[in-house]
Amino acid sequence: MEKLAILGGQPAVTINKEFRWPAISEDIVEAVAEMVRKGELSDTEYGDATRLLEEAWAKFLGVDFALSRVDGTAALHSACFAAGAGPGDEVIVQSYTWVASVGCIMAAGAVPVFADIDPRTYTLDPADVERRITPRTRAILPVHLWGHPTEMDAIMDIARRHGLKVIEDASHAHGGAYKGRKVGTIGDIGCFSMQASKSLPAGEGGMMVTSDRRLFERALLLAQSPGRLKLHIQLEEHRPFVDTGFGGFKYRINILNAVIARMLLPKLEERNAIRQRNMDRLSAGLAGVTGIGPAYTAPDVTRGGFYGFPILYKPEELDGLPMETFLRAVNAEGVPLKRDRYPMLHLCAMYRRQNPLGAGWPWSFSDATRAVTYQPGDLPVTESVYPRLLHIESWDKAEPSEDLFEQYAEGIRKVVDNARALRAAGVIPTGV
Ligand SMILES: Cc1ncc(COP(=O)(O)O)c(C=O)c1O
């Protein structure tokens, strides 16, 4: 058996390429430089940079309205507001996600209600969603976590039966599809992040899409300068607000980011194809390896975004080898495997109970809502899966190299094969 790198052997990964996010080509650099030279730095009205980006997104997804935002968080807040989630309302969401999927609900003044996840896809479990519906539920917010689409037929069926809005958080899943339909277009509203680590890395930026004019206009009213409101507000119920800029927030995208995003959008499918190929290589290399569960993809979906490749660690199959020891050994082989970095929000101080910071925080409408609190054990699947989740993130790195992802699989396999030797060597976990 080959000696583990952590015990003095040679690392399995020999290809050592610099990480290359984001893929900003020279034409993009030049386009941005030209705008800076000309002093085009802010889009106070509704200029070409913003308009062209939104038109391109609407066309790409086949929706009526694409509203660019300063970031994905702002897109989600706009969506919650547009959907009418406010004081006294509840929105159902998963606990295992980036905090923006949940904070946006609080920012709108509503209460996040956490539901459990599917143990294979780590996305919302529709059956648990249905159990958590109350008369106060206003919306469901499925997150297509790590690029895997949520079970949308079931979510939409529940939503329609109970009269709820659906806001998709597709920040990890650009270009993904559920039964042939692009994510972000299945619910009432779809939201995307274009932050620098995403598959459409504009630097910072977000997109909210919908085909419902009323929702689009409400999102504009929350956070847009009057110039654009005059251009786009048509519905009688919204007209009185046009002159004042109503919501007072300013969520428009920075136009330099808008230009980057527009120029990267046509490359998204190609970049997704590279990531898919890398993921396929890694999955093939890890098939049947004891002790780990590589990312699962349901047969009727297409992953998008490829924001990460989750791996479930199963110490019970490896003589109880502690996960930290496993990780140290895998890292020593040159594989960039990490612990999952999202917390379980239902057990964090900010979300465990209502109004944790006192009056003034949006989630302070406790008199209008039932008390919603959480304790360990409330979300059994999330709590069992999350502490054992690991990640590889570098999807674009292997682009010209055919072998990097095979080498990652080899490094993991090597540690699994040597689990007993590793345990016997007494490598000390360091709390990675
Ligand atoms: C699932 C999810 N939703 C929303 C966001 C928020 O996006 P942004 O960082 O652009 O505000 C992120 C960001 O990482 C995310 O991962």
Side-chain angles (χ1 to χ4, degrees):
M1 223 182 283
E2 245 191 293
K3 196 169 183 188
L4 289 175
I6 201 167
L7 302 178
Q10 289 302 313
V13 179
T14 55
I15 300 168
N16 185 14
K17 296 173 75 199
E18 283 303 303
F19 190 51
R20 292 192 320 209
W21 280 111
I24 302 295
S25 47
E26 272 312 304
D27 55 333
I28 299 179
V29 173
E30 197 36 56
V32 171
E34 187 54 22
M35 290 173 73
V36 175
R37 273 185 218 113
K38 287 201 272 186
E40 287 176 20
L41 299 170
S42 175
D43 191 5
T44 47
E45 297 298 323
Y46 182 55
D48 282 352
T50 311
R51 184 178 54 78
L52 292 173
L53 171 67
E54 294 182 357
E55 284 174 5
W57 263 89
K59 190 162 172 234
F60 168 62
L61 290 176
V63 291
D64 291 347
F65 306 102
L67 178 60
S68 52
R69 306 280 71 184
V70 66
D71 53 29
T73 306
L76 282 163
H77 179 205
S78 305
C80 287
F81 178 81
D89 294 330
E90 297 173 1
V91 178
I92 300 178
V93 64
Q94 63 190 73
S95 155
Y96 166 47
T97 177
W98 175 241
V99 63
S101 322
V102 176
C104 61
I105 299 166
M106 288 168 63
V111 174
V113 168
F114 295 109
D116 221 336
I117 51 172
D118 179 291
R120 290 190 302 178
T121 64
Y122 316 129
T123 60
L124 266 184
D125 169 9
D128 201 47
V129 168
E130 185 137 34
R131 279 194 285 276
R132 292 180 196 260
I133 288 176
T134 74
R136 296 182 171 93
T137 310
R138 167 73 65 156
I140 307 171
L141 200 155
V143 184
H144 305 307
L145 204 73
W146 309 123
H148 193 291
T150 308
E151 186 53 60
M152 288 305 290
D153 275 355
I155 296 288
M156 294 309 292
D157 175 58
I158 294 167
R160 295 305 172 238
R161 278 191 284 110
H162 293 272
L164 311 175
K165 293 277 186 247
V166 174
I167 301 166
E168 291 175 73
D169 183 354
S171 295
H172 290 186
H174 317 62
Y178 172 82
K179 297 188 179 171
R181 280 175 297 157
K182 288 220 170 82
V183 298
T185 68
I186 305 165
D188 299 281
I189 306 181
C191 295
F192 297 82
S193 164
M194 300 188 286
Q195 181 269 337
S197 66
K198 304 297 187 318
S199 60
L200 196 84
E204 299 290 351
M207 192 61 73
M208 190 201 101
V209 301
T210 181
S211 288
D212 182 325
R213 167 163 285 281
R214 187 163 181 276
L215 298 178
F216 167 67
E217 289 196 6
R218 278 183 63 89
L220 274 176
L221 286 169
L222 174 72
Q224 197 67 45
S225 49
R228 185 163 182 191
L229 295 183
K230 284 197 191 95
L231 273 180
H232 283 126
I233 298 296
Q234 291 180 6
L235 297 177
E236 212 45 62
E237 63 178 306
H238 296 151
R239 287 241 170 95
F241 305 107
V242 167
D243 286 346
T244 57
F246 177 61
F249 289 85
K250 189 176 80 176
Y251 279 170
R252 66 178 178 237
I253 193 169
N254 177 301
I255 52 173
L256 302 179
N257 298 120
V259 166
I260 299 173
R262 177 173 56 78
M263 294 179 79
L264 284 175
L265 185 59
K267 302 179 184 182
L268 174 67
E269 287 184 354
E270 183 194 330
R271 285 162 68 91
N272 274 353
I274 294 171
R275 293 182 177 90
Q276 180 71 62
R277 201 183 60 202
N278 289 339
M279 183 165 177
D280 290 346
R281 290 209 182 102
L282 188 54
S283 303
L286 292 176
V289 176
T290 322
I292 58 158
Y296 164 83
T297 304
D300 47 5
V301 309
T302 308
R303 275 183 185 267
F306 300 86
Y307 196 48
F309 183 90
I311 290 179
L312 188 68
Y313 185 60
K314 304 178 195 168
E316 67 282 5
E317 293 180 11
L318 293 175
D319 279 347
L321 183 72
M323 188 163 88
E324 285 74 14
T325 311
F326 175 79
L327 262 180
R328 277 189 67 195
V330 168
N331 292 160
E333 295 300 332
V335 183
L337 193 66
K338 295 182 189 144
R339 274 197 92 128
D340 198 287
R341 61 197 155 89
Y342 294 164
M344 288 187 286
L345 293 170
H346 71 290
L347 298 181
C348 291
M350 189 66 87
Y351 299 95
R352 221 177 150 141
R353 64 183 178 84
Q354 285 166 234
N355 197 17
L357 293 183
W361 184 251
W363 199 11
S364 60
F365 302 96
S366 42
D367 54 345
T369 64
R370 69 192 170 102
V372 179
T373 55
Y374 296 93
Q375 3 229 350
D378 283 347
L379 299 175
V381 178
T382 304
E383 289 170 38
S384 131
V385 156
Y386 168 79
R388 298 182 289 135
L389 272 174
L390 302 171
H391 265 277
I392 292 183
E393 293 183 6
S394 51
W395 291 111
D396 275 2
K397 198 174 172 184
E399 176 226 312
S401 161
E402 297 293 296
D403 300 330
L404 186 64
F405 280 77
E406 278 86 351
Q407 291 198 353
Y408 285 171
E410 229 173 272
I412 293 171
R413 192 188 282 269
K414 188 174 157 194
V415 174
V416 167
D417 289 347
N418 283 281
R420 200 158 270 166
L422 191 56
R423 214 173 154 63
V427 174
I428 300 178
T430 54
V432 194

